[in-house]
Amino acid sequence: MSSIILSAANICKSYHEMNEKITVLKEVNLTVHSGEMIAIIGASGSGKSTLLHILGGLASPDSGVVLVENQNMATMQERQRCHFRNRYLGFIYQFHHLLPEFSILDNVCMPLWIGGVSSEHAKNQALDMLERVGLTARRKHRMAELSGGERQRAAIARALVTGPRCILADELTGNLDHATALNIVSLMKELTRETQAGMILVTHDLSLAAMCHQRYTLRSGELLIVE
Amino acid sequence: MEKTMMFFILLLIIMIAVFNLVSMQVMLVNEKTSDIAILRTLGATSGMIMRIFLIQGGLIGTMGIFLGAMFGIVLASHVTAVVNLLQNIFHIQFISADIYFLNYLPSKLLWSDVWHIVSVSLGLCFIATLYPAYRAAQVQPAEALRYE
Ligand SMILES: Nc1ncnc2c1ncn2[C@@H]1O[C@H](COP(=O)(O)OP(=O)(O)OP(=O)(O)O)[C@@H](O)[C@H]1O
Ligand SMILES: [Mg+2]
């Protein structure tokens, strides 16, 4: 049995808007093992992004505990939490790709620079990662010069370059055609196997979800396993 | 008395420039909200974000003050010649001895004035970058990443 990378227990979250209470998550439980890629499916507004933000320590739940590598980000100091996020987590989003002013190589170096890695080391690691996702030839280009699929490859490289233990991907194939999306997800799957990290993929596409080891659906605040 | 007045008028002009700097920086922060949020997801601390905008605002301000001071020093030390030249080109007499008892524009560059103005401007410029940088540091990544 592989080890547990991420575990969430009894996560509840609700928002108050104009005296109205909107319950987004009700007692959500989730476990991700190393080398496992899971999919979370759900209608728009079902709270998938909210859940990912809570798992990544970017938002705090009303109650419940999230452990990443047995550590609880909620009890950490702000600086410590940032450092932890830098080391252990990788985020990939649909739209918020790369920083447009920097080259692809610099974008991939960014999390290493933030983590205090020397620039030469960072460059070497970033180049290795870019080679892994097949973007070596594009390293000097800016984001604007890349296609949607290439941008997501670069975003994957950036998320994985620090060797994180868990990757949180929010609809990373949302605006790609089906063939490119399949391609990206199989790359993610290979990388999950190679790095033995945990991977959480939020998607609307059932055929992409089918490529994952485990599927969950988020419906009226409850996370249910799809058999 | 006149000098104090002049100093206040100059201060007002500098204040306008400073407000420009503040609004420009606030606009920049708003424009970069999602980039700030992305940096936060990569593990940047709010202190790092604050520093980025402090340095950026400080650089713009310092550059402006440096260029302005250079231009001002050159102009102030040659203003008599400049006015004479303008009078010759346009064939008018700005300064006639009948009214002012002088027929040239007197000017004396006091380095103490230059230091005063530069240091006050630098101080104001630093204060001006604080608020936008603070706003940048307060960006909540989970909030910022919900939109678009
Ligand atoms: N800061 C907030 N204040 C109030 N309501 C919020 C806030 N954040 C999220 N919500 C609400 O929580 C619900 C879930 O939002 P969330 O963004 O997690 O959905 P989602 O499943 O990611 O949707 P999509 O597929 O469209 O991205 C929505 O009804 C949303 O309006
Ligand atoms: Mg979402």
Side-chain angles (χ1 to χ4, degrees):
Chain A
M1 190 68 207
S2 50
S3 63
I4 291 174
I5 298 278
L6 179 145
S7 73
N10 301 320
I11 304 295
C12 297
K13 180 79 179 174
S14 51
Y15 290 107
H16 295 271
E17 213 157 298
M18 290 183 275
N19 300 322
E20 217 179 312
K21 191 172 161 191
I22 311 164
T23 304
V24 183
L25 302 172
K26 284 187 241 171
E27 309 250 319
V28 167
N29 293 293
L30 176 68
T31 312
V32 183
H33 295 93
S34 88
E36 187 181 33
M37 177 152 94
I38 70 153
I40 297 178
I41 314 157
S44 187
S46 56
K48 306 179 298 294
S49 301
T50 306
L51 178 60
L52 276 198
H53 285 145
I54 290 172
L55 296 180
L58 291 171
S60 49
D62 298 337
S63 65
V65 179
V66 178
L67 297 178
V68 178
E69 291 274 334
N70 276 320
Q71 297 193 65
N72 187 351
M73 278 197 274
T75 59
M76 292 179 188
Q77 297 270 309
E78 152 84 5
R79 280 180 64 98
Q80 207 184 349
R81 184 164 42 232
C82 288
H83 189 71
F84 186 86
R85 198 179 288 136
N86 180 259
R87 276 297 291 110
Y88 288 91
L89 294 172
F91 291 85
I92 308 169
Y93 285 91
Q94 175 177 1
F95 292 114
H96 308 273
H97 297 286
L98 311 157
L99 302 180
E101 292 88 354
F102 292 87
S103 71
I104 298 307
L105 179 62
D106 288 347
N107 266 288
V108 177
C109 286
M110 198 68 65
L112 297 168
W113 290 339
I114 290 172
V117 175
S118 75
S119 54
E120 195 169 330
H121 250 82
K123 194 178 163 191
N124 291 334
Q125 267 171 273
L127 282 173
D128 287 348
M129 203 60 227
L130 280 175
E131 188 174 355
R132 184 62 197 84
V133 299
L135 280 180
T136 306
R138 300 296 225 147
R139 65 186 180 280
K140 294 213 176 86
H141 293 235
R142 302 280 170 99
M143 181 189 91
E145 297 161 283
L146 265 60
S147 72
E150 288 167 332
R151 287 177 197 187
Q152 282 310 33
R153 282 173 186 277
I156 291 170
R158 183 178 64 180
L160 283 156
V161 75
T162 52
R165 298 305 297 138
C166 191
I167 317 291
L168 307 164
D170 197 348
E171 294 181 38
L172 85 161
T173 56
N175 53 346
L176 302 179
D177 64 82
H178 197 70
T180 313
L182 277 175
N183 216 307
I184 295 280
V185 174
S186 18
L187 172 67
M188 294 279 284
K189 196 171 177 179
E190 279 169 38
L191 289 166
T192 311
R193 205 190 53 239
E194 282 169 30
T195 60
Q196 285 296 302
M199 193 87 71
I200 303 179
L201 206 69
V202 163
T203 180
H204 286 296
D205 191 326
L206 293 176
S207 62
L208 296 179
M211 296 168 70
C212 297
H213 301 113
Q214 187 71 265
R215 281 158 296 285
Y216 295 86
T217 167
L218 197 55
R219 199 178 300 137
S220 49
E222 290 176 79
L223 192 68
L224 307 164
I225 289 199
V226 181
E227 298 301 337
Chain B
M1 178 61 206
E2 271 167 69
K3 273 205 81 172
T4 344
M5 264 332 273
M6 272 312 274
F7 190 73
F8 275 106
I9 291 169
L10 279 178
L11 199 67
L12 273 176
I13 295 172
I14 293 170
M15 289 291 260
I16 292 169
V18 165
F19 277 115
N20 258 316
L21 184 61
V22 173
S23 57
M24 199 181 75
Q25 286 291 98
V26 168
M27 261 158 45
L28 185 75
V29 169
N30 287 340
E31 199 182 304
K32 296 284 179 197
T33 305
S34 68
D35 290 353
I36 295 169
I38 281 293
L39 285 173
R40 296 300 306 273
T41 68
L42 299 179
T45 62
S46 50
M48 287 182 193
I49 304 294
M50 183 138 183
R51 240 174 297 150
I52 291 173
F53 285 90
L54 279 182
I55 290 172
Q56 210 253 1
L59 274 180
I60 290 179
T62 314
M63 238 156 63
I65 290 165
F66 182 74
L67 286 177
M70 294 292 272
F71 181 72
I73 290 167
V74 170
L75 187 68
S77 39
H78 294 91
V79 75
T80 310
V82 171
V83 168
N84 284 341
L85 186 72
L86 286 177
Q87 285 179 347
N88 288 340
I89 292 172
F90 297 108
H91 302 291
I92 20 167
Q93 192 76 21
F94 295 128
I95 295 161
S96 99
D98 309 342
I99 306 166
Y100 299 106
F101 309 108
L102 293 167
N103 61 357
Y104 65 96
L105 183 68
S107 164
K108 187 169 168 210
L109 182 72
L110 294 176
W111 285 104
S112 67
D113 283 358
V114 174
W115 290 130
H116 258 113
I117 292 165
V118 166
S119 51
V120 168
S121 317
L122 275 175
L124 284 175
C125 156
F126 178 71
I127 293 168
T129 53
L130 280 178
Y131 172 68
Y134 173 76
R135 290 245 320 218
Q138 291 307 108
V139 166
Q140 297 297 321
E143 271 301 298
L145 292 168
R146 283 189 63 215
Y147 306 109
E148 249 186 287

